[in-house]
Amino acid sequence: MLRGDFSNKLLDVLEHMCKTPKRTDFYVKIDDDLVMSESKLDEVIKVMATTDCQITGGIARDYGFYWPVGQIYIFKRAILEKICPQLPVTNVFHPSEDITFGSLLNTTDRSMFCNLDIREASENITSTVFMFRGDFSSDFYDLFSLQKRAVRYCDNDTTISGCDVKLPRNYKWGTLSSKLLDALEVMCKAPKKTDFYVKIDDDLIMSESKLDEVIKRMSTTDCQVSGRIARDFEFYWAVGQIYIFKRAILETICAKLPITRQLHGSEDISFGSFINSTDRSMFCDLDTPRNHWHKDYSDKRIKIEYLIQHNE
């Protein structure tokens, strides 16, 4: 990542890389305002490793050579080794570092370049993310990749777009337990089940890579349900902005269906009652360290805030 006098800084960085005793197979240059999950980047690198492509990114040619557009580009070790003998460079071709990078290669061979191709994730650990949509949802509910990844469960007579599954009934804020039960019944009837299930609110703020990291960590433990764990009832339960549970939990609930009595109007408390466990070892805290936010998030560069909440 570069800041400042970009072309000269890039040249100095490349010179530093050339002097390192051990080189990596791939190099990835990113802008500091690039939005891309770590898992997606790793996936692109994995795909690129199986091809003859040497550089991937947004490819352009409005000079006498091809060059990668600078928000992100990935190049193989062979490209670095081609650049190293040219350093130091005293005559910078262009103020833009990505165009200068292209000038160092100075090639019109299009086969060396490929467009950045983010395919669907293909991890060994499988997961289903799901969320509830209603009239309260923003039209831009899928602004974040995690919400876009989710299976969206909607009321039966909804007219809103972006529904994957229409449930058999209509629901209100106080009947989300019924909505959860109907959604779980759909999951139980699915011919193929995943290793993990993740329930998220539509106003959850969490990066996809962080979720995948939590799931991967959880897969190495005996923890069955992860979230912000509470016990102000006679059982443990996970607060509903996000909770993650393993397939064994779903199968336990499936065996109990249909469930006719719901303990509470809140779906997360009812979910805890379906499991009905006082064994704390089954539950683990999700937010350690801090990795997700509910309703609002800000840092020195961005501010995200949901102005209207579900129940207003």
Side-chain angles (χ1 to χ4, degrees), residues 272-303:
S273 74
F274 302 155
I275 303 169
N276 194 27
S277 175
T278 56
D279 181 359
R280 185 63 174 84
S281 67
M282 286 181 60
F283 298 81
C284 53
D285 292 316
L286 171 69
D287 205 10
T288 309
R290 185 73 184 269
N291 53 38
H292 73 275
W293 291 262
H294 186 226
K295 302 179 183 176
D296 60 79
Y297 167 81
S298 64
D299 60 29
K300 62 184 180 182
R301 187 126 194 223
I302 64 171
K303 180 176 177 64

Side-chain angles (χ1 to χ4, degrees), residues 95-292:
S96 170
E97 50 86 17
D98 40 359
I99 298 173
T100 293
F101 184 85
S103 74
L104 296 173
L105 302 176
N106 194 26
T107 181
T108 57
D109 182 1
R110 183 64 176 81
S111 66
M112 287 179 60
F113 295 79
C114 53
N115 290 318
L116 195 62
D117 181 20
I118 304 173
R119 305 182 183 183
E120 290 295 320
S122 54
E123 300 292 335
N124 291 329
I125 302 170
T126 58
S127 61
T128 298
V129 180
F130 66 98
M131 61 182 278
F132 299 146
R133 285 213 66 207
D135 293 338
F136 52 77
S137 298
S138 167
D139 289 341
F140 293 94
Y141 70 93
D142 58 353
L143 183 64
F144 304 108
S145 60
L146 189 57
Q147 274 80 352
K148 197 169 184 178
R149 170 173 159 181
V151 178
R152 294 149 294 185
Y153 289 87
C154 298
D155 291 8
N156 183 260
D157 66 356
T158 187
T159 57
I160 60 174
S161 60
C163 292
D164 298 302
V165 179
K166 283 193 175 184
L167 295 171
R169 294 180 278 178
N170 300 314
Y171 313 87
K172 297 183 294 185
W173 178 254
T175 61
L176 286 180
S177 289
S178 297
K179 192 168 192 173
L180 174 65
L181 272 173
D182 288 342
L184 289 170
E185 193 163 350
V186 172
M187 295 176 204
C188 290
K189 291 177 179 177
K192 188 176 181 181
K193 295 183 173 66
T194 55
D195 299 317
F196 286 85
Y197 293 83
V198 186
K199 185 269 172 183
I200 64 170
D201 278 2
D202 73 329
D203 52 6
L204 179 80
I205 302 165
M206 183 181 194
S207 76
E208 202 169 1
S209 61
K210 285 295 182 186
L211 174 61
D212 290 336
E213 182 182 310
V214 170
I215 289 173
K216 185 175 181 181
R217 186 170 68 240
M218 190 175 166
S219 70
T220 65
T221 72
D222 292 330
C223 173
Q224 298 295 305
V225 181
S226 180
R228 184 155 63 87
I229 308 304
R231 189 183 176 182
D232 45 5
F233 290 85
E234 61 271 23
F235 47 79
Y236 286 105
W237 57 282
V239 178
Q241 293 91 359
I242 176 172
Y243 50 85
I244 307 170
F245 54 98
K246 291 182 177 177
R247 178 167 54 192
I249 294 295
L250 179 67
E251 290 171 344
T252 298
I253 294 172
C254 292
K256 297 179 179 180
L257 294 177
I259 297 172
T260 55
R261 179 181 174 269
Q262 293 138 43
L263 176 71
H264 200 278
S266 171
E267 49 89 9
D268 40 1
I269 297 172
S270 281
F271 184 77
S273 74
F274 302 155
I275 303 169
N276 194 27
S277 175
T278 56
D279 181 359
R280 185 63 174 84
S281 67
M282 286 181 60
F283 298 81
C284 53
D285 292 316
L286 171 69
D287 205 10
T288 309
R290 185 73 184 269
N291 53 38
H292 73 275

